[in-house]
Amino acid sequence: PEQVVVYDEKEGVPEILARSTMHNSIPVLTVEEVQKVHAILKRLHKKYVTKSSLHNSVDIEFVVAGEERRLYLLQCRPC
């Protein structure tokens, strides 16, 4: 699976930890898709993790599907 870290302090610039490839070393997610996912995840984190929350992170599963490469959220839960 893709492993990407995006630090807000670096203005949303993704740091690639590991890449999965579909074929011919083409990454599963483009940098633009990583940035789009980051923006969505940031909103979800803000919604589910508050200062009064017992949780400090969110476990999120998503899939990018179809020729149009639409993002679908499968699951989101505080952990």
Side-chain angles (χ1 to χ4, degrees):
E2 298 276 306
Q3 296 180 27
V4 180
V5 175
V6 181
Y7 297 102
D8 286 338
E9 297 81 29
K10 294 183 180 179
E11 301 187 14
V13 177
E15 176 183 336
I16 309 300
L17 301 180
R19 279 281 194 198
S20 294
T21 57
M22 293 184 287
H23 53 80
N24 299 327
S25 299
I26 298 169
V28 173
L29 297 174
T30 66
V31 171
E32 294 80 15
E33 288 170 333
V34 169
Q35 290 170 331
K36 181 179 180 179
V37 168
H38 172 252
I40 293 167
L41 300 183
K42 214 168 139 176
R43 290 196 318 257
L44 291 169
H45 187 270
K46 189 179 229 181
K47 178 176 179 62
Y48 291 106
V49 178
T50 63
K51 291 180 183 176
S52 63
S53 175
L54 297 175
H55 309 284
N56 63 1
S57 61
V58 181
D59 178 30
I60 299 170
E61 293 181 31
F62 66 91
V63 64
V64 177
E67 288 184 24
E68 66 282 351
R69 300 192 51 83
R70 294 194 59 163
L71 176 74
Y72 295 95
L73 181 64
L74 303 176
Q75 174 173 280
C76 177
R77 66 174 180 251
C79 53

